[in-house]
Amino acid sequence: MDYTALRRYSRQVSVGGVLIGGSSAVSVQTMTSKPAGDIDGTIEQIYQAAGEGCDIVRVAIPSLKDVAYFQEVCKISPIPVVGDIHFDARIAVAAIEAGAAKIRINPGNMENWEAINQILDAAKKAGVPIRIGVNGGSVKHKNKDDSRGMEEAVVEEALEYASRFEDYGFSDIVISAKISDALSTIRVNREIAARCDYPLHIGVTEAGVEEDAMLKSAIGIGGLLADGIGDTIRLSFTGEPVREVIAGKRLLRAAGILRDGVEIISCPTCGRCRISDMAGLAREVKQRLEGIKLPIKVAVMGCEVNGPGEAEGADIGVAGSGSGVLLFAKGEKLGVYSRAEAMDRLMVIVESMG
Ligand code: SF4
């Protein structure tokens, strides 16, 4: 079933023209990691991220003097920039006036509600949405060892802040509730999703280094997407922002939400495999088809006995056989070729489908 059919209803907000929620595409975000003030380094990271399909980028603004740097970044960035602000409402107001497409705050660590209301006034005037970002680590919950209690506190805090924003007349809201544990992330976001219709930014926070973080995020974010929950995502991990974007896009493709290129499926091989370098062949097919924007499925299978059957849903199949490489399209056998010839023919078939 495709994501549209099971997607939770959510309101829509516009972040500098990129829509979050409603029927808009699930967007991919990242956050720059250069020190505040390093305009060149930050812009370089943003261009790299945008080049890999990043939709929205977040930049930390640690102090009031860093707003000038943020303003420059907003002017040059090819994609909408979100200001990330803690503790000081004056920074948030200044960031909005400096061109932020959205700001992210945790109302729980701002001075008081009078200060927060000033942010809401500025955001409303500028038409800038606000992400209420509540994290498991910063939630006001007494017993940090009680994970269920912490989860409830995250849900209640996020919804309470949203309700106070609404009471003040501000409803351009995105909510994020992030926890470093994948299953807690799922439970918390399911609960929030059931109790409001705000668009949700989802991610597993402090997920670790790349390989671990991808697995955690595949469970946390993937589990929510499988429920139709999630309007924008960030795969956060320790490393370059562009890597987060590549991983985020891969996750959306793996979930079947993003269909912007050729999907390669390949068998794990077994004792029936007729190709000596199956992993190499699968990699070669992947490389050859890299960058082709056709929503088709290509299967690379180790044998001709089970391969075509196992790749039944694929548009094109490549399978090992005793006399060479068998090609098939839409389940029909096209012929057996040498590996090099099979690769060339594969490209011709793909081009004819475009
Ligand atoms: Fe084994 Fe053939 Fe299935 Fe691959 S396609 S797993 S080689 S039976």
Side-chain angles (χ1 to χ4, degrees), residues 267-274 278 300-308 310:
C267 82
T269 79
C270 68
R272 293 185 197 87
C273 187
R274 307 297 296 268
M278 178 62 188
V300 185
M301 313 306 275
C303 74
E304 62 182 327
V305 184
N306 288 354
E310 290 179 13

Side-chain angles (χ1 to χ4, degrees), residues 105-228:
I105 58 170
N106 177 355
N109 69 25
M110 284 291 165
E111 303 96 314
N112 51 51
W113 277 94
E114 205 179 310
I116 293 168
N117 289 345
Q118 286 173 12
I119 304 175
L120 300 184
D121 287 339
K124 195 164 189 179
K125 193 169 156 208
V128 166
I130 298 179
R131 165 149 73 99
I132 296 172
V134 178
N135 282 8
S138 61
V139 82
K140 291 193 188 88
H141 177 65
K142 300 277 183 296
N143 183 1
K144 300 266 184 200
D145 297 329
D146 172 8
S147 63
R148 287 305 172 103
M150 182 269 287
E151 289 170 17
E152 275 171 31
V154 169
V155 172
E156 297 309 327
E157 271 193 25
L159 293 175
E160 187 205 319
Y161 296 147
S163 146
R164 290 191 71 155
F165 279 27
E166 292 277 5
D167 290 347
Y168 193 72
F170 189 89
S171 47
D172 224 1
I173 298 167
V174 176
I175 289 182
S176 69
K178 294 193 183 177
I179 299 170
S180 60
D181 175 88
L183 296 183
S184 288
T185 300
I186 291 177
R187 284 192 290 268
V188 161
N189 281 281
R190 275 184 184 154
E191 180 69 16
I192 292 174
R195 288 172 56 183
C196 70
D197 61 1
Y198 298 113
L200 299 184
H201 168 126
I202 55 172
V204 181
T205 191
E206 295 136 17
V209 293
E210 188 164 338
E211 301 77 17
D212 300 335
M214 280 181 69
L215 283 171
K216 260 193 189 181
S217 298
I219 295 169
I221 299 176
L224 286 162
L225 293 173
D227 282 351

